[in-house]
Coordinates of all heavy atoms in Angstrom, one line a residue:
M1 N 107.7 54.4 103.4 CA 107.9 55.6 102.6 C 109.1 56.3 103.0 O 109.4 56.5 104.2 CB 106.6 56.4 102.7 CG 106.8 57.8 102.2 SD 105.3 58.8 102.5 CE 104.4 58.4 101.1
T2 N 109.9 56.8 102.0 CA 111.1 57.5 102.3 C 110.8 59.0 102.0 O 110.3 59.3 100.9 CB 112.3 57.1 101.5 OG1 112.5 55.7 101.8 CG2 113.5 57.9 101.7
I3 N 111.1 59.9 103.0 CA 110.8 61.3 102.8 C 112.1 62.0 102.8 O 112.9 62.0 103.7 CB 109.9 61.8 103.9 CG1 108.5 61.1 103.8 CG2 109.7 63.3 103.8 CD1 107.5 61.5 104.9
P4 N 112.4 62.8 101.7 CA 113.6 63.5 101.6 C 113.5 64.9 102.2 O 112.4 65.5 102.2 CB 113.9 63.7 100.1 CG 112.5 63.7 99.5 CD 111.7 62.8 100.4
V5 N 114.6 65.3 102.9 CA 114.7 66.7 103.4 C 115.9 67.3 102.8 O 117.0 66.8 102.9 CB 114.8 66.7 104.9 CG1 114.9 68.1 105.5 CG2 113.6 66.0 105.5
V6 N 115.7 68.5 102.1 CA 116.8 69.1 101.3 C 117.2 70.4 102.0 O 116.3 71.2 102.4 CB 116.3 69.4 99.9 CG1 117.4 70.1 99.1 CG2 115.9 68.1 99.2
R7 N 118.5 70.5 102.2 CA 119.1 71.8 102.8 C 119.4 72.7 101.6 O 120.1 72.5 100.8 CB 120.3 71.4 103.5 CG 121.1 72.5 104.2 CD 122.3 71.9 104.8 NE 123.1 72.9 105.5 CZ 124.2 72.7 106.2 NH1 124.6 71.5 106.3 NH2 124.8 73.7 106.8
N8 N 118.7 73.9 101.7 CA 118.9 75.0 100.7 C 119.6 76.2 101.3 O 119.7 76.3 102.5 CB 117.6 75.4 100.1 CG 116.9 74.4 99.3 OD1 117.5 73.7 98.5 ND2 115.6 74.2 99.5
F9 N 120.1 77.0 100.4 CA 120.7 78.3 100.8 C 122.0 78.2 101.6 O 122.2 78.9 102.6 CB 119.7 79.2 101.5 CG 118.4 79.4 100.8 CD1 117.2 78.8 101.3 CD2 118.3 80.1 99.6 CE1 116.0 78.9 100.6 CE2 117.2 80.2 98.9 CZ 116.0 79.6 99.4
G10 N 122.8 77.2 101.2 CA 124.1 77.1 101.8 C 124.2 75.7 102.4 O 123.2 75.1 102.8
S11 N 125.5 75.2 102.5 CA 125.7 73.9 103.1 C 126.9 73.9 104.0 O 127.4 72.9 104.4 CB 125.9 72.9 101.9 OG 127.1 73.3 101.2
N12 N 127.3 75.1 104.5 CA 128.4 75.2 105.4 C 128.0 74.9 106.8 O 126.9 75.3 107.3 CB 129.1 76.6 105.4 CG 129.7 76.8 104.1 OD1 130.1 75.9 103.4 ND2 129.9 78.1 103.7
G13 N 128.8 74.1 107.5 CA 128.5 73.8 108.9 C 127.6 72.6 109.1 O 126.9 72.1 108.2
N14 N 127.5 72.2 110.4 CA 126.6 71.1 110.8 C 125.4 71.7 111.4 O 125.4 72.6 112.2 CB 127.3 70.2 111.8 CG 128.6 69.6 111.3 OD1 128.8 69.4 110.1 ND2 129.5 69.2 112.2
I15 N 124.2 71.1 110.9 CA 123.0 71.6 111.5 C 122.1 70.4 111.9 O 122.2 69.3 111.3 CB 122.2 72.6 110.6 CG1 121.8 71.9 109.3 CG2 123.0 73.8 110.3 CD1 120.8 72.7 108.4
R16 N 121.2 70.6 112.8 CA 120.2 69.6 113.2 C 118.8 70.2 112.9 O 118.5 71.3 113.2 CB 120.3 69.3 114.7 CG 119.4 68.2 115.1 CD 119.6 67.8 116.6 NE 120.9 67.2 116.6 CZ 121.7 67.2 117.7 NH1 121.4 67.9 118.7 NH2 122.9 66.6 117.7
V17 N 118.0 69.4 112.2 CA 116.6 69.8 111.9 C 115.7 68.8 112.5 O 115.8 67.6 112.3 CB 116.4 69.8 110.3 CG1 115.0 70.1 110.0 CG2 117.4 70.7 109.7
Y18 N 114.7 69.3 113.3 CA 113.7 68.5 114.0 C 112.5 68.4 113.1 O 112.1 69.3 112.4 CB 113.3 69.1 115.3 CG 114.5 69.0 116.3 CD1 115.5 69.9 116.3 CD2 114.5 67.9 117.2 CE1 116.5 69.8 117.3 CE2 115.6 67.8 118.2 CZ 116.6 68.8 118.1 OH 117.6 68.7 119.0
Y19 N 111.9 67.2 113.1 CA 110.6 67.0 112.3 C 109.6 66.2 113.1 O 110.0 65.5 114.0 CB 110.9 66.3 111.0 CG 111.5 64.9 111.1 CD1 110.6 63.8 111.2 CD2 112.8 64.6 111.1 CE1 111.0 62.5 111.4 CE2 113.3 63.4 111.3 CZ 112.4 62.3 111.4 OH 112.9 61.0 111.5
Q20 N 108.4 66.4 112.8 CA 107.3 65.6 113.3 C 106.1 65.5 112.4 O 105.9 66.5 111.6 CB 106.9 66.1 114.7 CG 106.1 67.4 114.7 CD 105.7 67.8 116.1 OE1 106.6 67.9 117.0 NE2 104.5 68.0 116.3
T21 N 105.4 64.4 112.4 CA 104.3 64.3 111.5 C 103.0 64.8 112.2 O 103.0 64.9 113.4 CB 104.0 62.8 111.2 OG1 103.9 62.0 112.4 CG2 105.1 62.2 110.3
E22 N 102.1 65.2 111.4 CA 100.8 65.7 111.8 C 99.7 65.2 111.0 O 99.8 65.2 109.7 CB 100.8 67.3 111.8 CG 99.5 67.9 112.3 CD 99.6 69.4 112.1 OE1 100.7 70.0 111.9 OE2 98.5 70.0 112.1
D23 N 98.6 64.8 111.6 CA 97.5 64.2 110.8 C 96.8 65.3 110.0 O 96.7 66.5 110.3 CB 96.4 63.7 111.8 CG 96.8 62.4 112.4 OD1 97.9 61.8 112.1 OD2 96.0 61.9 113.2
G24 N 96.4 64.9 108.8 CA 95.5 65.6 107.9 C 94.3 64.8 107.8 O 93.7 64.4 108.8
S25 N 93.9 64.4 106.6 CA 92.8 63.4 106.5 C 93.2 62.0 106.8 O 92.4 61.2 107.1 CB 92.2 63.5 105.0 OG 93.2 63.3 104.1
A26 N 94.6 61.8 106.7 CA 95.1 60.5 107.1 C 95.3 60.6 108.6 O 95.8 61.6 109.2 CB 96.4 60.2 106.4
H27 N 95.1 59.5 109.3 CA 95.2 59.4 110.8 C 96.3 58.5 111.3 O 96.6 57.5 110.6 CB 93.9 58.9 111.4 CG 92.7 59.8 111.1 ND1 92.5 61.0 111.7 CD2 91.7 59.7 110.2 CE1 91.4 61.6 111.2 NE2 90.9 60.8 110.3
S28 N 96.9 58.9 112.4 CA 97.9 58.0 113.0 C 97.5 57.5 114.4 O 98.2 56.9 115.1 CB 99.2 58.8 113.2 OG 99.0 59.9 114.1
V29 N 96.2 57.8 114.8 CA 95.8 57.5 116.2 C 95.1 56.1 116.1 O 94.2 55.8 115.3 CB 94.8 58.5 116.7 CG1 94.3 58.2 118.0 CG2 95.4 59.9 116.7
A30 N 95.5 55.2 117.0 CA 94.9 53.9 117.2 C 93.5 54.1 117.5 O 93.1 55.0 118.2 CB 95.6 53.1 118.3
G31 N 92.6 53.2 117.0 CA 91.2 53.3 117.2 C 90.5 54.1 116.1 O 89.2 54.0 116.0
L32 N 91.2 54.8 115.3 CA 90.6 55.6 114.2 C 91.0 55.0 112.9 O 91.0 55.7 111.9 CB 91.0 57.0 114.3 CG 90.5 57.9 115.4 CD1 91.1 59.3 115.3 CD2 89.0 57.9 115.4
D33 N 91.3 53.7 112.8 CA 91.8 53.0 111.6 C 93.0 53.8 111.1 O 92.9 54.4 110.1 CB 90.7 52.9 110.6 CG 91.1 52.1 109.4 OD1 91.9 51.2 109.5 OD2 90.6 52.4 108.3
P34 N 94.1 53.7 111.8 CA 95.3 54.5 111.5 C 95.8 54.2 110.1 O 95.8 53.0 109.6 CB 96.3 54.1 112.5 CG 95.9 52.8 113.1 CD 94.4 52.8 112.9
D35 N 96.3 55.2 109.4 CA 96.8 55.1 108.0 C 98.4 55.1 108.0 O 99.0 54.7 107.0 CB 96.3 56.3 107.2 CG 94.8 56.3 107.2 OD1 94.2 55.3 106.6 OD2 94.2 57.3 107.6
Y36 N 99.0 55.7 109.0 CA 100.4 55.7 109.1 C 100.8 55.8 110.6 O 100.0 56.1 111.4 CB 101.0 57.0 108.3 CG 100.7 58.3 109.0 CD1 101.7 58.9 109.7 CD2 99.5 58.9 108.9 CE1 101.5 60.1 110.4 CE2 99.3 60.1 109.6 CZ 100.3 60.7 110.3 OH 100.1 61.9 110.9
R37 N 102.1 55.5 110.8 CA 102.7 55.6 112.2 C 103.3 56.9 112.4 O 104.3 57.3 111.7 CB 103.7 54.4 112.4 CG 104.1 54.3 113.9 CD 104.9 53.0 114.1 NE 104.4 51.8 113.5 CZ 103.4 51.1 113.9 NH1 102.7 51.5 115.0 NH2 103.0 50.0 113.3
A38 N 102.8 57.7 113.3 CA 103.3 59.0 113.6 C 104.8 58.9 114.1 O 105.2 57.9 114.7 CB 102.5 59.7 114.7
T39 N 105.6 59.9 113.7 CA 107.0 59.9 114.1 C 107.5 61.3 114.4 O 106.9 62.3 113.9 CB 107.8 59.3 113.0 OG1 109.2 59.1 113.5 CG2 107.8 60.1 111.7
Q40 N 108.5 61.4 115.2 CA 109.2 62.7 115.4 C 110.6 62.3 115.8 O 110.9 61.3 116.4 CB 108.6 63.5 116.5 CG 108.5 62.9 117.9 CD 107.9 63.8 118.9 OE1 107.1 64.7 118.5 NE2 108.2 63.6 120.1
N41 N 111.5 63.1 115.3 CA 112.9 62.9 115.5 C 113.7 64.0 114.9 O 113.1 65.1 114.7 CB 113.4 61.6 114.8 CG 114.5 60.9 115.5 OD1 115.3 61.5 116.1 ND2 114.6 59.5 115.3
Y42 N 115.0 63.8 114.6 CA 115.8 64.9 114.0 C 116.7 64.3 113.0 O 117.0 63.1 113.0 CB 116.5 65.7 115.1 CG 117.5 65.0 115.9 CD1 118.8 64.8 115.4 CD2 117.2 64.4 117.1 CE1 119.8 64.1 116.1 CE2 118.1 63.7 117.8 CZ 119.4 63.5 117.4 OH 120.3 62.8 118.1
L43 N 117.2 65.1 112.1 CA 118.2 64.8 111.1 C 119.4 65.7 111.4 O 119.2 66.9 111.6 CB 117.7 65.0 109.7 CG 116.5 64.2 109.3 CD1 115.9 64.7 107.9 CD2 116.8 62.7 109.2
T44 N 120.6 65.2 111.2 CA 121.8 66.0 111.4 C 122.5 66.0 110.1 O 123.0 65.0 109.5 CB 122.7 65.4 112.5 OG1 122.0 65.3 113.7 CG2 124.0 66.2 112.6
F45 N 122.6 67.2 109.5 CA 123.3 67.5 108.3 C 124.7 67.8 108.6 O 125.0 68.7 109.4 CB 122.7 68.7 107.5 CG 121.4 68.4 106.8 CD1 120.2 68.6 107.5 CD2 121.4 68.0 105.5 CE1 119.0 68.4 106.9 CE2 120.2 67.8 104.9 CZ 119.0 68.0 105.6
L46 N 125.7 67.1 108.0 CA 127.1 67.4 108.2 C 127.5 68.5 107.2 O 126.8 68.8 106.3 CB 127.9 66.2 108.0 CG 127.6 65.0 109.0 CD1 128.4 63.8 108.7 CD2 127.7 65.4 110.4
D47 N 128.6 69.1 107.5 CA 129.1 70.2 106.6 C 129.1 69.7 105.1 O 129.6 68.6 104.8 CB 130.6 70.5 107.0 CG 131.1 71.7 106.3 OD1 130.4 72.7 106.2 OD2 132.2 71.6 105.7
Q48 N 128.6 70.5 104.2 CA 128.4 70.2 102.8 C 127.4 69.2 102.4 O 127.2 68.9 101.3 CB 129.8 69.9 102.2 CG 130.9 70.9 102.4 CD 130.5 72.3 101.9 OE1 130.0 72.4 100.8 NE2 130.6 73.3 102.7
Q49 N 126.7 68.6 103.4 CA 125.7 67.6 103.1 C 124.4 68.4 102.8 O 124.0 69.3 103.6 CB 125.5 66.7 104.3 CG 124.7 65.5 104.0 CD 124.8 64.5 105.2 OE1 125.0 64.9 106.3 NE2 124.6 63.2 104.9
T50 N 123.7 68.1 101.7 CA 122.5 68.8 101.4 C 121.2 68.0 101.3 O 120.1 68.6 101.2 CB 122.7 69.5 100.0 OG1 122.9 68.4 99.0 CG2 123.8 70.5 100.0
E51 N 121.2 66.7 101.4 CA 120.0 66.0 101.4 C 120.1 64.8 102.4 O 121.1 64.0 102.3 CB 119.6 65.5 100.0 CG 118.3 64.8 100.0 CD 117.8 64.5 98.5 OE1 118.2 65.2 97.6 OE2 117.0 63.6 98.4
L52 N 119.0 64.6 103.2 CA 118.9 63.4 104.0 C 117.5 62.9 103.9 O 116.6 63.6 103.5 CB 119.2 63.8 105.5 CG 120.6 64.1 105.9 CD1 120.7 64.7 107.3 CD2 121.5 62.9 105.7
N53 N 117.3 61.7 104.3 CA 115.9 61.0 104.2 C 115.6 60.5 105.6 O 116.4 60.1 106.4 CB 115.9 59.9 103.2 CG 116.3 60.4 101.8 OD1 115.7 61.2 101.3 ND2 117.4 59.8 101.3
F54 N 114.3 60.4 105.8 CA 113.8 59.6 106.9 C 112.6 58.7 106.4 O 112.0 58.9 105.4 CB 113.4 60.4 108.1 CG 112.2 61.3 108.0 CD1 110.9 60.8 108.3 CD2 112.3 62.6 107.5 CE1 109.8 61.6 108.2 CE2 111.2 63.4 107.3 CZ 109.9 62.9 107.7
R55 N 112.4 57.6 107.2 CA 111.4 56.6 106.8 C 110.1 56.9 107.6 O 110.2 57.2 108.8 CB 111.9 55.2 107.1 CG 113.2 54.9 106.3 CD 113.1 54.0 105.1 NE 112.1 52.9 105.2 CZ 111.3 52.7 104.1 NH1 111.4 53.4 103.0 NH2 110.5 51.7 104.2
L56 N 109.0 56.7 106.9 CA 107.7 56.8 107.6 C 106.9 55.5 107.2 O 106.8 55.1 106.0 CB 107.0 58.0 107.1 CG 105.6 58.3 107.6 CD1 105.7 58.7 109.1 CD2 104.9 59.4 106.9
E57 N 106.3 54.9 108.2 CA 105.6 53.6 107.9 C 104.1 53.9 107.6 O 103.4 54.5 108.4 CB 105.6 52.7 109.2 CG 105.0 51.4 109.0 CD 105.1 50.5 110.2 OE1 105.7 50.9 111.2 OE2 104.6 49.3 110.1
I58 N 103.7 53.5 106.4 CA 102.3 53.6 106.0 C 101.7 52.3 106.3 O 102.2 51.2 106.1 CB 102.3 53.8 104.4 CG1 103.0 55.0 104.0 CG2 100.8 53.8 104.0 CD1 102.5 56.3 104.6
L59 N 100.5 52.3 107.0 CA 99.8 51.2 107.5 C 98.7 50.8 106.4 O 97.8 51.7 106.2 CB 99.2 51.4 108.8 CG 100.2 51.9 109.9 CD1 99.5 52.2 111.2 CD2 101.2 50.8 110.1
D60 N 98.8 49.7 105.9 CA 97.8 49.2 104.9 C 96.7 48.5 105.5 O 96.8 47.8 106.5 CB 98.5 48.4 103.8 CG 97.7 48.2 102.5 OD1 96.8 49.0 102.3 OD2 98.1 47.3 101.8
D61 N 95.5 48.6 104.9 CA 94.3 47.8 105.4 C 93.5 47.5 104.1 O 93.9 47.9 103.0 CB 93.5 48.5 106.4 CG 93.0 49.9 105.9 OD1 92.8 50.1 104.7 OD2 92.8 50.8 106.8
A62 N 92.5 46.7 104.3 CA 91.6 46.3 103.2 C 90.5 47.2 102.8 O 89.7 46.9 102.0 CB 91.1 44.9 103.5
I63 N 90.5 48.4 103.5 CA 89.4 49.3 103.3 C 89.7 50.2 102.1 O 90.8 50.9 102.1 CB 89.1 50.2 104.6 CG1 88.7 49.3 105.7 CG2 88.1 51.2 104.3 CD1 88.7 50.0 107.1
A64 N 88.8 50.3 101.1 CA 89.0 51.2 100.0 C 88.8 52.7 100.5 O 87.7 52.9 101.0 CB 88.1 50.9 98.9
E65 N 89.7 53.6 100.2 CA 89.6 54.9 100.7 C 90.0 55.9 99.6 O 90.8 55.5 98.7 CB 90.5 55.2 101.9 CG 90.1 54.3 103.1 CD 91.0 54.5 104.2 OE1 92.2 54.2 104.1 OE2 90.6 54.9 105.3
H66 N 89.6 57.1 99.6 CA 90.1 58.2 98.8 C 91.5 58.5 99.2 O 91.9 58.2 100.3 CB 89.2 59.4 98.9 CG 87.8 59.1 98.3 ND1 87.5 59.0 97.0 CD2 86.6 59.0 99.0 CE1 86.2 58.8 96.9 NE2 85.6 58.8 98.0
P67 N 92.2 59.2 98.3 CA 93.6 59.7 98.7 C 93.5 60.5 100.0 O 92.6 61.3 100.2 CB 94.0 60.5 97.5 CG 93.3 60.0 96.4 CD 91.9 59.6 96.9
E68 N 94.4 60.3 100.9 CA 94.5 61.0 102.2 C 95.8 61.7 102.3 O 96.8 61.4 101.6 CB 94.2 60.1 103.3 CG 92.8 59.5 103.3 CD 92.6 58.5 104.4 OE1 93.4 57.5 104.5 OE2 91.7 58.7 105.2
E69 N 95.9 62.7 103.2 CA 97.1 63.4 103.4 C 97.5 63.5 104.9 O 96.7 63.5 105.7 CB 97.0 64.8 102.8 CG 95.9 65.6 103.4 CD 95.6 66.9 102.6 OE1 95.8 67.0 101.4 OE2 95.2 67.9 103.3
F70 N 98.8 63.7 105.1 CA 99.3 64.1 106.4 C 100.4 65.1 106.1 O 100.8 65.4 105.0 CB 99.9 62.8 107.1 CG 101.0 62.2 106.3 CD1 102.3 62.6 106.6 CD2 100.8 61.2 105.4 CE1 103.4 62.0 105.9 CE2 101.8 60.6 104.7 CZ 103.1 61.0 105.0
Y71 N 100.9 65.7 107.2 CA 101.9 66.7 107.1 C 103.2 66.3 107.8 O 103.2 65.6 108.8 CB 101.4 68.0 107.7 CG 100.1 68.4 107.1 CD1 98.9 68.1 107.7 CD2 100.0 69.1 105.9 CE1 97.7 68.5 107.1 CE2 98.8 69.5 105.3 CZ 97.6 69.1 105.9 OH 96.5 69.5 105.3
V72 N 104.3 66.9 107.3 CA 105.6 66.8 108.0 C 106.0 68.2 108.3 O 106.2 69.0 107.4 CB 106.7 66.1 107.2 CG1 108.0 66.1 107.9 CG2 106.2 64.6 106.8
N73 N 106.1 68.5 109.6 CA 106.5 69.8 110.1 C 108.0 69.8 110.5 O 108.4 69.0 111.3 CB 105.7 70.2 111.3 CG 104.2 70.4 110.9 OD1 103.9 71.0 109.9 ND2 103.4 69.8 111.8
L74 N 108.8 70.7 109.9 CA 110.1 71.0 110.3 C 110.0 72.0 111.4 O 109.6 73.1 111.2 CB 111.0 71.5 109.2 CG 111.1 70.5 108.0 CD1 111.9 71.1 106.9 CD2 111.6 69.1 108.4
T75 N 110.3 71.6 112.6 CA 110.0 72.4 113.8 C 111.1 73.3 114.3 O 110.9 74.3 115.0 CB 109.5 71.5 115.0 OG1 110.5 70.6 115.3 CG2 108.2 70.8 114.6
R76 N 112.4 72.9 114.0 CA 113.5 73.7 114.6 C 114.7 73.4 113.8 O 115.0 72.2 113.5 CB 113.6 73.3 116.1 CG 114.6 74.2 116.9 CD 114.5 74.0 118.4 NE 115.1 72.7 118.8 CZ 114.5 71.8 119.6 NH1 113.4 72.0 120.1 NH2 115.2 70.7 119.9
V77 N 115.6 74.4 113.6 CA 116.9 74.2 113.0 C 117.9 74.7 114.0 O 117.8 75.8 114.5 CB 117.0 74.9 111.7 CG1 118.4 74.8 111.1 CG2 116.0 74.4 110.7
E78 N 119.0 73.9 114.3 CA 120.0 74.3 115.2 C 121.4 74.2 114.5 O 121.7 73.2 113.9 CB 120.0 73.4 116.4 CG 118.8 73.4 117.3 CD 118.8 72.4 118.4 OE1 119.6 71.5 118.4 OE2 118.0 72.6 119.3
L79 N 122.2 75.2 114.7 CA 123.6 75.1 114.2 C 124.4 74.4 115.3 O 124.3 74.7 116.5 CB 124.1 76.6 114.0 CG 125.6 76.7 113.6 CD1 125.8 76.0 112.3 CD2 126.0 78.1 113.6
L80 N 125.1 73.4 114.9 CA 125.9 72.6 115.8 C 127.4 73.1 115.7 O 128.0 73.0 114.7 CB 125.8 71.1 115.4 CG 124.4 70.5 115.4 CD1 124.4 69.1 115.0 CD2 123.8 70.6 116.8
Y81 N 127.9 73.5 116.8 CA 129.2 74.0 116.9 C 130.1 72.8 117.2 O 129.8 71.9 118.0 CB 129.4 75.1 118.0 CG 128.6 76.3 117.6 CD1 127.3 76.5 118.1 CD2 129.2 77.2 116.8 CE1 126.6 77.7 117.8 CE2 128.5 78.4 116.4 CZ 127.2 78.6 117.0 OH 126.5 79.7 116.6
P82 N 131.3 72.8 116.6 CA 132.3 71.7 117.0 C 132.7 71.8 118.4 O 132.8 72.9 119.0 CB 133.5 72.0 116.1 CG 133.1 73.1 115.2 CD 131.9 73.7 115.7
T83 N 132.9 70.7 119.0 CA 133.3 70.6 120.5 C 134.8 70.4 120.6 O 135.5 70.0 119.7 CB 132.6 69.5 121.2 OG1 132.8 68.3 120.5 CG2 131.1 69.8 121.3

């Protein structure tokens, strides 16, 4: 699955945005019939760049289930100064 992250309210400068997944009704923990692979990382938006994507692995199984949900938390935004 590809998840877009959109930069709003200006596009000047380079910024780094950290993200991490969090379980809802969908689980990422082994032993609980995981539905997706948990991830955390960051995206770096360059000057004037307004959209980036990251990939999330959905784990398929043969069990019929109702729709489930997980969350993606944007945890921190940092302005990157030129060196």
Side-chain angles (χ1 to χ4, degrees):
M1 163 183 275
T2 300
I3 299 180
V5 178
V6 178
R7 179 181 181 176
N8 291 316
F9 307 111
S11 59
N12 293 336
N14 300 338
I15 62 169
R16 183 174 292 147
V17 177
Y18 291 83
Y19 64 87
Q20 70 181 57
T21 56
E22 180 183 344
D23 287 357
S25 55
H27 299 283
S28 64
V29 179
L32 293 178
D33 187 27
D35 301 298
Y36 72 100
R37 190 170 316 280
T39 187
Q40 62 181 24
N41 209 333
Y42 62 86
L43 299 170
T44 301
F45 287 87
L46 300 178
D47 187 51
Q48 302 305 311
Q49 193 171 25
T50 58
E51 185 171 334
L52 291 172
N53 301 302
F54 68 92
R55 303 255 324 134
L56 181 70
E57 185 178 0
I58 302 297
L59 305 173
D60 196 16
D61 58 29
I63 299 170
E65 299 174 297
H66 294 287
E68 296 177 301
E69 59 189 34
F70 62 90
Y71 305 97
V72 176
N73 297 313
L74 301 178
T75 59
R76 188 168 75 225
V77 177
E78 296 174 346
L79 177 60
L80 302 176
Y81 294 97
T83 54

